[in-house]
Amino acid sequence: MSQLTHLNAQGEANMVDVSAKAVTAREARAEGFIAMQADTLKLVLEGGHKKGDVLSVARIAGIQAAKRTWDLIPLCHPLMLSKVQVDFVPDETAGGIHIQSLCKLSGQTGVEMEALTAVSVAALTLFDMCKAVDPGMVISGIRVMEKQGGKTGHWQAEGVS
């Protein structure tokens, strides 16, 4: 198993030095799910929520969060993202909304944390906007689905196509 990169020789937290790493095209995809009551899902999908277009607000929140990941996660590098995409796939059978993100850049470090942050904050925004009608919503399954670029190349989670 590899050593934890965010600890120095004394076991103290430190920001990884990426200055010697090559600039390469990098991307990461993440996903999550928010389960909700059927009536809540219908309200969101039909645009009947009195707070407005819930999915548009959550999409913008996810994009903004990805851009500010370095400000939220202490040892993350500030990155010049070239693309952030947040998508929602309603699932009436499972009773909720699948959230997916894609983050891209050309840089010296990966964008997995940005993709995860986009999904997490989009899910939290959906929860915030709908909690008055459905306080029992559950956010789950937040994970990296795939990453590409850098010296480790391509990685994909099991079961992802």
Side-chain angles (χ1 to χ4, degrees):
M1 177 178 248
S2 299
Q3 296 291 331
L4 296 175
T5 58
H6 287 77
L7 299 176
N8 65 18
Q10 293 76 39
E12 302 164 334
N14 74 320
M15 189 171 184
V16 174
D17 182 0
V18 297
S19 60
K21 292 173 91 175
V23 172
T24 62
R26 297 164 184 263
E27 69 178 65
R29 293 187 307 127
E31 69 177 354
F33 185 75
I34 184 165
M36 59 187 64
Q37 296 174 6
D39 289 344
T40 306
L41 181 58
K42 183 178 178 184
L43 192 66
V44 169
L45 297 179
E46 292 178 356
H49 200 292
K50 63 183 173 182
K51 288 189 177 182
D53 186 346
V54 174
L55 296 178
S56 290
V57 173
R59 177 175 287 111
I60 295 297
I63 292 168
Q64 286 297 103
K67 293 165 51 177
R68 297 300 300 241
T69 299
W70 64 272
D71 205 22
L72 299 168
I73 310 295
L75 301 176
C76 283
H77 294 84
L79 301 180
M80 186 61 76
L81 296 169
S82 57
K83 179 174 185 63
V84 178
Q85 181 176 327
V86 177
D87 295 310
F88 303 101
V89 180
D91 187 338
E92 292 179 18
T93 303
I97 300 172
H98 295 277
I99 305 161
Q100 301 170 341
S101 71
L102 168 66
C103 292
K104 291 183 174 185
L105 62 64
S106 290
Q108 295 169 295
T109 190
V111 292
E112 297 92 338
M113 293 307 301
E114 288 70 16
L116 288 165
T117 301
V119 167
S120 299
V121 171
L124 290 169
T125 301
L126 288 171
F127 189 98
D128 180 51
M129 293 187 75
C130 297
K131 68 183 182 280
V133 296
D134 189 356
M137 292 175 289
V138 176
I139 297 169
S140 64
I142 296 173
R143 67 177 183 150
V144 174
M145 296 169 30
E146 181 178 19
K147 71 160 233 62
Q148 295 185 52
K151 85 176 170 184
T152 58
H154 183 248
W155 176 87
Q156 193 170 34
E158 287 186 34
V160 173
S161 55

